[in-house]
Amino acid sequence: MRDTRESRLLLVLLVAIAFALITVDIRGGEDSPVDGARQAAATVFGPVEEGMSSAVDPIGNAIGAVRDSGERHNRIAELERQNAALKARLGSDDRNRSRVRQLDSMLKTAGAGQYGIKGAEVIGIGAAQGFSWTVTIDAGAGDGIKRDMTVLNGDGLVGRVTTVGPNTSTVLLANDPDFTVGTRMEKTDELGFATGQGDRPLSVQLLNGKAEVKKGDRLVTFGSRKDKPFVPGVPVGEIVRVDPSGGDLTRNVYVKPYVGFTKLDIVGVVVEAPREDPRDTVLPKKPEKPKPTPTVTVTATPSGRPVDGADAGNDEQ
């Protein structure tokens, strides 16, 4: 193209049109009238530009690959972190579900015995040296807790309150050797005194040396005067061993407590005793004995047509 007056005017006109389009595009933003054309151009020329860039810029590609690799590594690390956090939350949820079950069980026990309770959480355990079994709960005088109140959970008797602070209390567990509670046998009403033996079954001395007892018999608390330190009817445990009578005035039996003292979490302090002795109503229902399966005996008989008297006569003829 020759450098003439017409070509110069055409160049100036094209530059002016270009600036005008740029101005319109900038002012139009996302609603720019040339946006469609730009997208069409990108559709047509984009793959070509991408191919040319890949062909002529291998160093840039390598840097991009390293950067992408780092980003992928960061994403993987983030996913791993989120996965660990999710597992931690799931673990927490499992614990919460367990605590909800404990609370629900304890409320059912309290409802069956008509005990007014104050819920609490075990926040500390006493030193096991010297065969001492105690726990600390997060409820104290400010919550209406007083010394010599009965402590239970959904399974049965946990212990009694021995020391009360403003916000916490100490509970002496029922398996401590210094712990003694009056008991009553289910149905027979035989009375006795249960004493803790640490991680061994409770030792129960029945007042009647001739009492008829056997393994599996169950005991509840007898109750104390004015319901302190023990309210009546709280499940204690089941007999697992019976000493021979020997003609003594008393008889010793050994009871496995319902409560697991090494895994206490949610407990309830009885702040209001029941109006009436619940007797045996708080004890869990005994599992039903399996019914014997009827036995059917099948006797094989020879195959063939049965023969009656009339047929027999015809055969003789």
Side-chain angles (χ1 to χ4, degrees):
M1 186 176 181
R2 290 183 299 171
D3 184 11
T4 62
R5 182 179 179 183
E6 290 79 4
S7 62
R8 291 178 181 177
L9 289 174
L10 179 60
L11 179 62
V12 171
L13 180 61
L14 291 175
V15 170
I17 293 173
F19 275 108
L21 290 175
I22 292 173
T23 302
V24 171
D25 186 29
I26 292 174
R27 291 182 177 180
E30 294 181 356
D31 298 326
S32 171
V34 298
D35 186 58
R38 183 170 57 248
Q39 291 181 1
T43 302
V44 174
F45 295 108
V48 177
E49 292 176 348
E50 184 177 0
M52 292 180 63
S53 175
S54 299
V56 302
D57 195 8
I59 296 177
N61 292 339
I63 294 174
V66 172
R67 182 178 63 250
D68 291 343
S69 175
E71 291 176 356
R72 284 195 296 271
H73 176 74
N74 292 338
R75 287 196 294 270
I76 292 172
E78 176 64 17
L79 289 173
E80 290 177 347
R81 186 191 65 79
Q82 292 177 2
N83 190 32
L86 178 60
K87 288 181 178 179
R89 287 198 298 271
L90 288 175
S92 176
D93 289 344
D94 289 340
R95 183 169 184 267
N96 287 337
R97 282 192 289 269
S98 173
R99 301 181 79 188
V100 168
R101 287 192 296 268
Q102 292 180 52
L103 180 60
D104 182 62
S105 177
M106 184 177 69
L107 291 177
K108 288 181 179 178
T109 297
Q114 296 298 300
Y115 307 122
I117 63 171
K118 174 68 179 180
E121 179 182 355
V122 174
I123 58 174
I125 58 174
Q129 293 84 358
F131 226 47
S132 176
W133 294 76
T134 61
V135 295
T136 301
I137 59 175
D138 63 348
D143 304 290
I145 308 301
K146 298 179 181 179
R147 179 182 170 88
D148 285 338
M149 284 184 167
T150 307
V151 182
L152 51 76
N153 66 5
D155 297 321
L157 180 66
V158 171
R160 63 181 176 87
V161 177
T162 56
T163 306
V164 180
N167 303 305
T168 62
S169 301
T170 301
V171 177
L172 182 69
L173 301 181
N175 64 335
D176 189 277
D178 291 333
F179 186 96
T180 300
V181 58
T183 62
R184 181 180 57 77
M185 295 285 301
E186 180 185 16
K187 296 181 180 178
T188 65
D189 291 340
E190 295 287 353
L191 302 181
F193 292 96
T195 302
Q197 295 194 111
D199 53 3
R200 294 182 294 167
L202 306 176
S203 174
V204 180
Q205 188 177 56
L206 298 177
L207 301 183
N208 181 5
K210 297 181 181 180
E212 295 292 334
V213 291
K214 62 183 184 300
K215 289 178 63 175
D217 286 348
R218 306 187 296 179
L219 296 85
V220 298
T221 56
F222 176 66
S224 308
R225 186 173 179 270
K226 295 185 178 180
D227 300 310
K228 287 190 176 182
F230 302 109
V231 294
V234 181
V236 175
E238 296 183 1
I239 294 177
V240 293
R241 196 181 91 201
V242 180
D243 280 354
S245 175
D248 295 333
L249 296 177
T250 60
R251 190 171 192 184
N252 293 329
V253 298
Y254 299 89
V255 173
K256 179 181 179 181
Y258 288 121
V259 171
F261 297 105
T262 60
K263 51 183 180 181
L264 292 171
D265 188 5
I266 303 298
V267 299
V269 182
V270 181
V271 295
E272 184 178 352
R275 294 182 179 180
E276 297 180 358
D277 187 344
R279 306 294 293 175
D280 302 330
T281 58
V282 188
L283 283 167
K285 292 183 178 180
K286 286 187 175 182
E288 295 183 0
K289 294 182 179 179
K291 297 181 180 179
T293 304
T295 303
V296 179
T297 304
V298 179
T299 305
T301 58
S303 60
R305 186 172 61 87
V307 180
D308 58 19
D311 291 338
N314 293 334
D315 290 343
E316 289 177 359
Q317 294 175 358

